[in-house]
Amino acid sequence: MKAFRLDELEAERAANDGAYLQFIRERNMSVGLYALDAGAVDPQQPHKQDEVYFVVSGRASITVGTETTLVGRGSVVHVAAGVPHKFHHITEDLRVMVVFSPPEG
């Protein structure tokens, strides 16, 4: 079993000066914590993997392809492989759990 605490993951991510911390990598998936502060610009490019975002905290909009929706704590968004997507209009520091299948990279 692997068990994690969000506060510890956030501290590790911050200590490594990165917006993304991968903390699980298995044969069929990877999981990470993605952080964008209020007002930040999301630099993402389309990924080769399907992904699911689970918003842990914060508020923003996300555009996936041509569709846009508001997200906040508890929101879940699926993004198919290869589809352009970005968080924007980030009004509260955003913390998002990301699941990639197959694993990212």
Side-chain angles (χ1 to χ4, degrees):
M1 176 175 76
K2 296 178 183 177
F4 303 90
R5 291 178 41 103
L6 282 173
D7 58 340
E8 293 171 354
L9 293 171
E10 175 64 9
E12 183 178 348
R13 184 205 57 78
N16 289 315
D17 293 325
Y20 184 72
L21 171 70
Q22 179 177 277
F23 60 92
I24 296 175
R25 183 173 182 86
E26 299 293 339
R27 184 171 36 102
N28 294 315
M29 69 167 194
S30 61
V31 183
L33 180 64
Y34 188 44
L36 292 166
D37 291 337
V41 174
D42 184 0
Q44 290 192 83
Q45 298 295 318
H47 305 285
K48 295 178 183 176
Q49 306 83 0
D50 286 340
E51 59 187 306
V52 173
Y53 291 114
F54 173 73
V55 178
V56 176
S57 63
R59 290 191 177 281
S61 293
I62 186 171
T63 298
V64 178
T66 60
E67 296 181 87
T68 299
T69 191
L70 295 173
V71 294
R73 186 173 62 102
S75 296
V76 177
V77 177
H78 170 256
V79 178
V83 176
H85 58 285
K86 294 218 186 275
F87 290 99
H88 52 93
H89 295 98
I90 302 166
T91 58
E92 295 177 15
D93 292 353
L94 195 62
R95 300 300 182 262
V96 181
M97 183 135 351
V98 186
V99 180
F100 287 98
S101 181
E104 183 190 29

